[in-house]
Amino acid sequence: MSVTTAGRLFRARVPGGDVARDDLPGFSGGVRETAWCAATLTAAAAAGAAALVVAYRRAEWGEPGQFAFFWAGMLLFTLPAAYWGVRRRTSPRLRLAVLAGYACFTYLPKLLRNPSGPLYHDEYAHWGQAHDILLDGRLFEQNSIVRVIGDYPGLHATVSSMAALTGLTVWHAALLVLITAHVLLVLGVAAVAGHLWPDPRIGVAAAFVYSLNSSFLFFDTQLGYESLAITVLVWALACALRALRSPGRGVRIGWSAVALLLAVATVATHHLTAIWLTGILGLIAITCTLRGGELTGVARVAWGLAARTGLITVLWMAAIAPRTSSYLDPYLGRALGQFGGLAGGGSGGRTLFSQSIAPWWERATAYAAPGFALLAMTGAAALWWRRRRTADPLTSAGTAAMLLVGALYFPATLLILTPAGAEGARRSWAFSYLGIAVAAAPLIIALLDRPRRVFTGSLLLTGCALMLVGNNAAGMNPSYRFPGPPVFGSDTRAATPEVLAAAAWLRETQGRETRLVADRYSGLIFGSYGEQRPATGSATFPAYDLYRAGPGRPISAALLEQLRSWRFEFLVVDRRMAEQVPDIKIYFETNEPIPHDGRPAFNRAQLTKFDTMPWLIKMYDGPHVAIYRFDFGSLGATTRGSVR
Amino acid sequence: MTTIRLALLAGAGLAATLAADGRAWAAPFCVTALLATGELLLRALPGRPVALPGSSAAVPGRPAASEEGAAPGVPGARPGFAAPGVPGARAALAALAGLVTLPLVALALHAIGAPVRSEPLVAGIAVTATLAAAGALLRERRAAGAAGLVARRARVGDGVAVAVPVLLAVVIGGVATRVYVTSPRPEQPGYLSVALNGWAARISAPVTVPVRGLAVPIRVTSAGLATVTIPLRLRVGGRLITARPVTVGADTVRSLTVNLPALPPDGCLRAVSISVGSTSTGFYARGPGGRARSLPVASRTAAPGPGARGIGATWTGSGVRGRTTC
């Protein structure tokens, strides 16, 4: 069957034939309804924003109640917005307004978290990268904090271009780009669902369900490449579905071209998102092929899109970003190994919420959230099965693909039990939740259309609230979500005045772009605000061995040769490594060969030994942080005294 | 809006952006130009949105048609972008297309060796908008006769539906952010630091101390601490040469000069430590002669400059004489 026929079939066999009555143009529900909706949501947004401010202020001053105020603020707006969004009588434009308002409101927690500069680990890297492009005008420069991001300049090019054109600072240009992307993401999810299900309420429900995922509030709102890429992915999918629906060849080619243009933008922005886009398109192609018959032509188009997207991704990764596989491998390869070990009864797993300050009810919802998701997916699968003969073929095949995408959430949830897989698992949820959202949305609307809708609606809203709380508790540490006093070994609380001053001194006296060795947290500040190029070490460049060596013990000649030949100039030493255990249990990098037994991994002598080495000149010293300059010409020299 | 007008709007927006030269009012022009470019790209690729009878986008009194005369097949949908639940989907996609124009143009600039700066970017976007407009016009000419273009009123309505909540969000978010940013914060931990300063900040090898001695500039910074009087000590080769109190005011940056006396001409490398309280900075030095390497930076400014305030200048250097083995 041709694509044109498939399009006609869709028109002929729409499940829930009464849906069109809701799709009235304009704010046709009446001025009174619109005004009432605007008034309630504006009041809810104002109260919610006030509660968020109170939550952050309490967290900052160390007062209790931060979690309760935060979630009260979020739910104050989210629940009425969801009500207005999926309400049967709400007009299409009012739904659009509610979605836009909801998208804006859900950016507020991140905006309040760091309104004036980078704060999260990846933000330092991406901010520095965009800053360098603005200064130097060059793409594809290596980044010292996250080594692979230089090969994916989509976000940095967008932000730095916006800053160059508008005169905004890099941070403000980034906020403009990110807020726009966040709003477009919400609308995009609704658009994807809209291509499968013509009921406008299903689109809105899908957008709300998607916003429950653990990355939505804090991770995909940060200055990170995924924040832009995931929006582009969602719209690339929407365009691909539009191409599959298109009856005419010219229009189909046009929508395919837009989808591929967005695929190029995705690949140029983020590796994982590009892989997920290829995978989702591939799943759509597979389900269309399996459906066969009337979808044969559609399947051909789907395969064409998936293959071209895959080709673009592979070519980019092979020709421009060959380091991607070695960067991603530890997250998946080691995680699977560790998971295999756990399954075999071995040790080495993670204890969830170990030493977390999250309240018990947040932890409880975090454990319950996958259960709710399983319930939703089971119901969605049952509904899909029941409607498989009555639904439009492409809707049926597309929903099947989305069910498969959503099903990936569950194995990823198990991977969170492994140290290496936890990060990768969390990263995958933003993508797999797209499947859950689009597949479960028809179920939500179907339940709401049954008798006792008030009871069902209340039950669904409660479930959504618990999932919102639980997913965020599982996906983001409290130190990322809330402000607080400086903590050693926390990405978000590393920017103490002392470290910032040390980084500023180095930039002012030694210039930009010098290579230095540092721990993870000093490296973040020196590599961003300090505009330097820090290295924290790796298996092939064990820079952390400089710190690990005991006083009087030799330092590996190979490492010294690496430092010398790669023109490293400075060594940054944070002596707190001998006094405290890092908040996130990492000193240098995830796979560091350093014991993590609850005690500081270094002693003071290991970190002050540099004062007695004539090949290290102590340029700067503060209460905790010292900066040494390498003088490899003095290696082997003997001296009297120390610079202590 | 016709394609020609849209192209002119994009051009005018880009010209205004360039004329603004990074001033605050460039942002709305830039955003307008990007939106127009995004819409042009959509018109060039899948085509202009058209309306079906009965859809919200239909123009009263005009014959209805679909894209290239074929029905998209989604009941109640906008043929231009068939997502029934999202009336503003077309505009949202245009915004995204405009946004991704930036990285794609930047990549093109990189490919031809041009820097990512405002002028090349504007030129790149202008070329994109022109090509897209040409493509759109070509497509429209081929599809001449297809009527039923999306009603302007409908597009304006969608715009209002997005603009009003965004405006409200800007007001509420702006007030919340302002309140949060300006509210009092807990004090951050203070610090006192000492660093080599001036020429000494460029020391990269052992310093040869001339016979007249050496004035070493240092910088002492105090932030978040009260005014303190603490000892400033100079040690050479582990031996205390001089110590005297120095007062460091609260939240001040103070430049000091420490006079390092001549070292014995025995060629031995000695650690020079300058400490302020419990923080210290230092380098390695040797006397004239022997195996000493000359240091351009150090030799250029070896003597204290006029007006330099010396600390520790009273010491004669006798303390490090006598030992000749290194």
Side-chain angles (χ1 to χ4, degrees), chain B residues 162-210:
Chain B
V162 173
V164 170
V166 167
L167 197 69
L168 286 171
V170 167
V171 171
I172 292 170
V175 170
T177 309
R178 181 83 186 151
V179 168
Y180 179 63
V181 168
T182 55
S183 56
R185 321 204 92 76
E187 277 190 19
Q188 293 281 300
Y191 67 92
L192 186 143
S193 69
V194 57
L196 295 175
N197 203 19
W199 68 267
R202 294 191 294 276
I203 292 175
S204 58
V207 175
T208 304
V209 182

Side-chain angles (χ1 to χ4, degrees), chain A residues 11 23 57 60 93 97 112 137 158 166-167 194-195 242 247 251 255 501 505 510 611 618-619 621 629 639-640 643-644, chain B residues 22-23 67 71 73 76 79-80 82 84 116 158 161 180 184-185 191 194 196 201 203 219 270-271 273 280-282 284 325:
Chain A
R11 184 167 49 176
D23 192 24
R57 300 257 311 126
E60 211 164 27
R93 286 215 185 96
L112 287 174
T158 308
T166 60
H195 282 303
R242 182 68 185 90
V251 182
W255 283 113
W505 175 84
Q510 313 297 328
D611 290 345
K618 194 175 188 180
M619 312 293 294
D621 193 25
R629 187 200 287 275
T639 182
R640 290 186 200 158
V643 292
R644 192 171 301 158
Chain B
R23 292 188 192 90
E67 284 169 331
V116 182
D158 292 351
Y180 179 63
R185 321 204 92 76
Y191 67 92
V194 57
L196 295 175
I203 292 175
R219 186 170 81 170
R270 291 176 171 82
S273 167
S280 67
T281 181
Y284 295 88
T325 54

Side-chain angles (χ1 to χ4, degrees), chain A residues 641, chain B residues 234-242 271 273 318-321 323:
Chain B
L234 171 68
R235 290 188 178 87
V236 177
R239 295 189 58 185
L240 180 65
I241 306 303
T242 187
S273 167
S318 58
V320 290
R321 286 185 188 140
R323 249 184 108 177

Side-chain angles (χ1 to χ4, degrees), chain A residues 369-420:
Chain A
F372 280 111
L374 186 63
L375 209 61
M377 285 291 282
T378 309
L383 188 70
W384 168 76
W385 182 255
R386 211 172 110 191
R387 289 180 174 176
R388 72 191 186 284
R389 292 193 200 287
T390 55
D392 155 70
L394 185 53
T395 295
S396 182
T399 307
M402 287 300 165
L403 280 168
L404 291 172
V405 172
L408 293 174
Y409 167 80
F410 300 103
T413 302
L414 294 178
L415 275 183
I416 204 156
L417 296 170
T418 65

Side-chain angles (χ1 to χ4, degrees), chain A residues 250-274:
Chain A
V251 182
R252 191 166 63 243
I253 290 173
W255 283 113
S256 298
V258 179
L260 289 175
L261 191 75
L262 294 180
V264 171
T266 306
V267 176
T269 305
H270 187 221
H271 38 78
L272 266 182
T273 311

Side-chain angles (χ1 to χ4, degrees), chain A residues 7-8 10-11 14 23 25-27 38 42 45-46 49 53 56-57 60-61 92-93 95-97 99-101 104-105 108 111-113 115 133-140 153-154 157-158 160-162 164-168 176-177 180-181 184 187 190-191 194-195 197-200 204 228 231-232 235 238-239 242 245 247-251 254-255 257-258 261-262 264-265 268 316 483 486 495-498 501 505 508-510 610-623 629-631 633-634 637-644, chain B residues 17 21-24 26-27 30-31 34 41-42 45-46 56 67-68 70-93 95-97 99-100 102-104 106-107 110 114-118 121-122 125 139 153-155 157-158 160-162 165-166 168-169 172-173 176-177 179-181 183-197 200-206 219 235-238 266 268-275 278-284 293 320 323-326:
Chain A
R8 280 203 293 271
F10 183 68
R11 184 167 49 176
V14 173
D23 192 24
F27 296 101
T42 303
V53 171
Y56 283 178
R57 300 257 311 126
E60 211 164 27
W61 287 91
R93 286 215 185 96
R95 284 189 218 286
L96 172 65
L99 270 189
C104 290
F105 183 81
L108 192 57
L111 180 68
L112 287 174
R113 187 70 186 85
I133 293 174
L134 185 65
L135 287 180
D136 305 329
R138 290 195 304 266
L139 304 182
F140 297 105
T158 308
S160 57
S161 300
M162 191 65 88
L165 290 171
T166 60
L168 294 170
L176 180 62
V177 169
T180 306
L184 293 178
L187 297 179
H195 282 303
W197 305 92
D199 186 343
V204 176
L228 177 62
T231 302
V232 186
W235 281 100
C239 293
R242 182 68 185 90
R245 285 254 179 252
R249 187 169 175 271
V251 182
W255 283 113
V258 179
L261 191 75
L262 294 180
V264 171
W316 186 280
T496 62
E498 181 196 354
W505 175 84
E508 286 163 17
T509 59
Q510 313 297 328
F610 304 113
D611 290 345
T612 62
M613 295 177 163
W615 53 280
L616 285 165
I617 300 161
K618 194 175 188 180
M619 312 293 294
Y620 182 99
D621 193 25
R629 187 200 287 275
F630 290 115
D631 170 20
S634 296
T638 55
T639 182
R640 290 186 200 158
S642 71
V643 292
R644 192 171 301 158
Chain B
T17 303
D21 195 24
R23 292 188 192 90
C30 178
V31 169
L34 288 174
L41 279 170
L42 293 189
L45 293 171
S56 62
E67 284 169 331
E68 296 191 353
V74 181
R78 303 282 178 79
F81 198 85
V86 192
R90 170 83 184 198
L93 185 58
L96 187 74
L99 195 64
V100 300
L102 288 175
L104 296 177
L107 284 171
H110 175 83
V116 182
R117 299 204 188 283
S118 53
L121 278 168
V122 165
I125 298 167
R139 177 179 275 276
R153 199 175 54 184
R155 302 293 294 275
D158 292 351
V160 170
V162 173
V166 167
L168 286 171
I172 292 170
T177 309
V179 168
Y180 179 63
V181 168
S183 56
R185 321 204 92 76
E187 277 190 19
Q188 293 281 300
Y191 67 92
L192 186 143
S193 69
V194 57
L196 295 175
N197 203 19
R202 294 191 294 276
I203 292 175
S204 58
R219 186 170 81 170
R235 290 188 178 87
V236 177
D266 56 7
C268 290
L269 202 59
R270 291 176 171 82
V272 176
S273 167
I274 302 165
S275 65
S278 59
T279 57
S280 67
T281 181
F283 52 93
Y284 295 88
R293 287 184 293 165
V320 290
R323 249 184 108 177
T324 53
T325 54
C326 298

Side-chain angles (χ1 to χ4, degrees), chain A residues 137-279:
Chain A
R138 290 195 304 266
L139 304 182
F140 297 105
E141 294 294 304
Q142 277 211 341
N143 186 276
S144 49
I145 297 176
V146 183
R147 61 195 166 103
V148 80
I149 67 171
D151 297 337
Y152 294 90
L155 172 73
H156 323 123
T158 308
V159 170
S160 57
S161 300
M162 191 65 88
L165 290 171
T166 60
L168 294 170
T169 64
V170 169
W171 183 251
H172 288 125
L175 283 180
L176 180 62
V177 169
L178 293 170
I179 293 172
T180 306
H182 189 70
V183 174
L184 293 178
L185 173 63
V186 173
L187 297 179
V189 175
V192 168
H195 282 303
L196 293 177
W197 305 92
D199 186 343
R201 296 158 72 208
I202 292 180
V204 176
F208 273 95
V209 173
Y210 181 76
S211 74
L212 306 179
N213 85 72
S214 63
S215 297
F216 185 76
L217 285 184
F218 290 100
F219 192 82
D220 283 340
T221 46
Q222 68 167 332
L223 177 50
Y225 40 16
E226 188 180 299
S227 304
L228 177 62
I230 200 161
T231 302
V232 186
L233 171 144
V234 165
W235 281 100
L237 273 182
C239 293
L241 288 171
R242 182 68 185 90
L244 300 184
R245 285 254 179 252
S246 295
R249 187 169 175 271
V251 182
R252 191 166 63 243
I253 290 173
W255 283 113
S256 298
V258 179
L260 289 175
L261 191 75
L262 294 180
V264 171
T266 306
V267 176
T269 305
H270 187 221
H271 38 78
L272 266 182
T273 311
I275 293 169
W276 273 94
L277 177 60
T278 308

